[in-house]
Amino acid sequence: MSDRPLRVGTRGSALSRAQTEQVIRRLRAMHPEIPVETVIVHTSGDRGQREVRGAFVKELQHALLEGRIDLAVHSLKDLPTDPVPGLRLAAVLEREDPREALIACNRWTWTTLPAGARVGTGSPRRTAQLRALRPDLAYLPLIGNVDTRLRRLEEGRYEAIVLAVAGLIRLGRSEAITEIFPLDQVLPAPGQGAIAVEIRADDARAQALAERLNHPPTWWAVTAERAFLRALGGGCRVPIAAYGEVRGDRLWLDGLVISPDGRQAIRGQIEGPAEAAEELGRALAERLRSQGAIRILEEAG
C-alpha cells in the first residue's frame, strides 16, 4: 500500500477535530507506516454564516471531490441521506451513547425545573419531544458549538439546555450532565452518536483503509435509521427520530414522527435480520405513513 500521506478532512470545531482525532488514532494504529495529515476545511457555520441543510458537510464533500482530501470525517447525523455522485460512505465507527442530556442550573432535574423555565435546544426533534413531556416550559433556540451553548447557560440565558451525550463525552465535558433522558422519553436523531467516514467512490486505497474502521453493528443500525428518514423525506429540520440496535444477528428499530408542538406523535417498532437494515427502515416508515405520519410531516414542513 502506498506510503504517501493520507489527508483526513475535518471541520474546524472542537468537536469535529476530536472526532477526527479518534479516526486518525485508529488509522495510525492499524497502519503506522502511512503518514496521516489533518486538513481543516472551514464550513459556512464555522465562519459564522447562516447554515442551510447539509452545510456542515458540503464543503468537506467538495474538498473530497476536488482531491484536496482523501477521507472526510462527519457526525453521521449531519450527513444528508441523499447520496452525492462520486462519493460514498465507507465506514461508521462504533457508536457513542446516542441519548440526550439535560444540563441544568441550581441542580434542577427534568421533573423539578420550575414551570416557565427557559430550556435551550437547537433541534425541532428535541423540542417537540420535550414539549410532549413538559408543555409548561419555555423552549428557546440554541445555536453554536458545545462550548458556546454551555457558556450561554452559565451566562443565565437559560435555566437548562439539552445536548447530545456523545458530543459532551468526546469533548471531556460529561461532568456537566445533570441527567440523561431515557430512549422511551426522547428518541435521538438518525445516526446520532456515530462518526462517519466518507471517501471518493473510485478511491480504492482510501476504501481499503476506511473499511477496517467500520463497526458492523453500528453500520446496520444507522443504515436502518437513515433508510427510515429517507423514506419519510425528512431532514434535520423535521421532527423525525429513530434508533436502531443490533443484538446478535437481529436488528430492532424504533421510529417516531412528531408534530412540532408535541401534541401529535406516531411511533412504531420493527425487528428483523440485521442485514435487511435498509428494508426494515423503509418498512417502518411505510407503516407510520399508513398510520398518519404523512399528515404530521406535511404540517411540520
Side-chain angles (χ1 to χ4, degrees):
M1 187 172 291
S2 171
D3 60 358
R4 65 178 173 83
L6 185 72
R7 299 160 300 170
V8 181
T10 179
R11 292 176 57 210
S13 71
L15 180 56
S16 295
R17 296 187 70 165
Q19 293 179 160
T20 300
E21 280 303 310
Q22 186 174 338
V23 171
I24 288 175
R25 284 195 299 271
R26 293 277 305 279
L27 286 168
R28 285 174 173 159
M30 293 185 300
H31 295 283
E33 76 283 3
I34 299 177
V36 181
E37 299 176 355
T38 302
V39 179
I40 306 298
V41 178
H42 294 286
T43 72
S44 57
D46 296 324
R47 293 189 293 267
Q49 300 173 13
R50 178 179 172 84
E51 287 284 357
V52 297
R53 183 184 175 190
F56 282 133
V57 299
K58 68 177 183 179
E59 285 93 342
L60 281 167
Q61 292 175 327
H62 288 161
L64 263 179
L65 290 168
E66 293 170 359
R68 290 184 281 129
I69 59 176
D70 304 305
L71 281 76
V73 178
H74 308 287
S75 292
L76 183 59
K77 71 175 182 178
D78 293 335
L79 190 65
T81 57
D82 296 330
V84 174
L87 301 181
R88 62 170 298 185
L89 179 60
V92 179
L93 275 64
E94 184 172 2
R95 190 179 218 160
E96 185 53 86
D97 192 326
R99 296 174 296 173
E100 309 286 1
L102 177 75
I103 301 98
C105 301
N106 301 323
R107 298 187 178 181
W108 281 318
T109 65
W110 180 243
T111 56
T112 63
L113 276 168
R118 298 164 299 172
V119 178
T121 172
S123 160
R125 171 194 52 81
R126 286 179 185 140
T127 302
Q129 294 182 80
L130 295 171
R131 282 188 192 280
L133 297 171
R134 291 281 312 263
D136 60 317
L137 301 178
Y139 297 96
L140 304 177
L142 178 65
I143 61 174
N145 59 37
V146 172
D147 286 335
T148 298
R149 296 183 187 202
L150 291 171
R151 184 169 64 252
R152 288 175 178 167
L153 175 66
E154 294 166 358
E155 292 170 349
R157 302 191 191 187
Y158 310 92
E159 278 68 59
I161 61 175
V162 179
L163 302 176
V165 173
L168 292 164
I169 291 174
R170 288 175 179 142
L171 288 172
R173 301 298 302 272
S174 58
E175 81 286 346
I177 297 174
T178 301
E179 66 179 301
I180 296 175
F181 290 95
L183 293 171
D184 61 355
Q185 286 189 343
V186 183
L187 207 60
Q192 183 159 308
I195 297 172
V197 177
E198 191 174 28
I199 64 170
R200 287 184 296 279
D202 61 356
D203 191 337
R205 175 180 182 248
Q207 173 62 31
L209 292 169
E211 66 184 8
R212 294 189 61 192
L213 298 170
N214 194 52
H215 183 250
T218 300
W219 176 274
W220 294 122
V222 300
T223 294
E225 295 165 19
R226 287 167 61 79
F228 174 78
L229 178 64
R230 184 168 54 251
L232 289 171
C236 63
R237 307 309 299 174
V238 179
I240 297 174
Y243 176 65
E245 185 174 337
V246 173
R247 307 167 197 163
D249 61 356
R250 306 293 287 178
L251 169 65
W252 280 258
L253 179 65
D254 191 352
L256 170 73
V257 176
I258 186 168
S259 63
D261 61 12
R263 294 179 180 176
Q264 302 176 72
I266 298 177
R267 186 167 183 168
Q269 295 78 35
I270 197 169
E271 177 263 336
E275 294 189 358
E278 185 87 25
E279 292 81 358
L280 290 170
R282 290 199 300 265
L284 183 58
E286 184 56 39
R287 183 186 302 172
L288 268 58
R289 275 178 173 272
S290 69
Q291 295 172 358
I294 189 65
R295 175 176 46 81
I296 295 176
L297 290 170
E298 288 173 348
E299 292 174 358

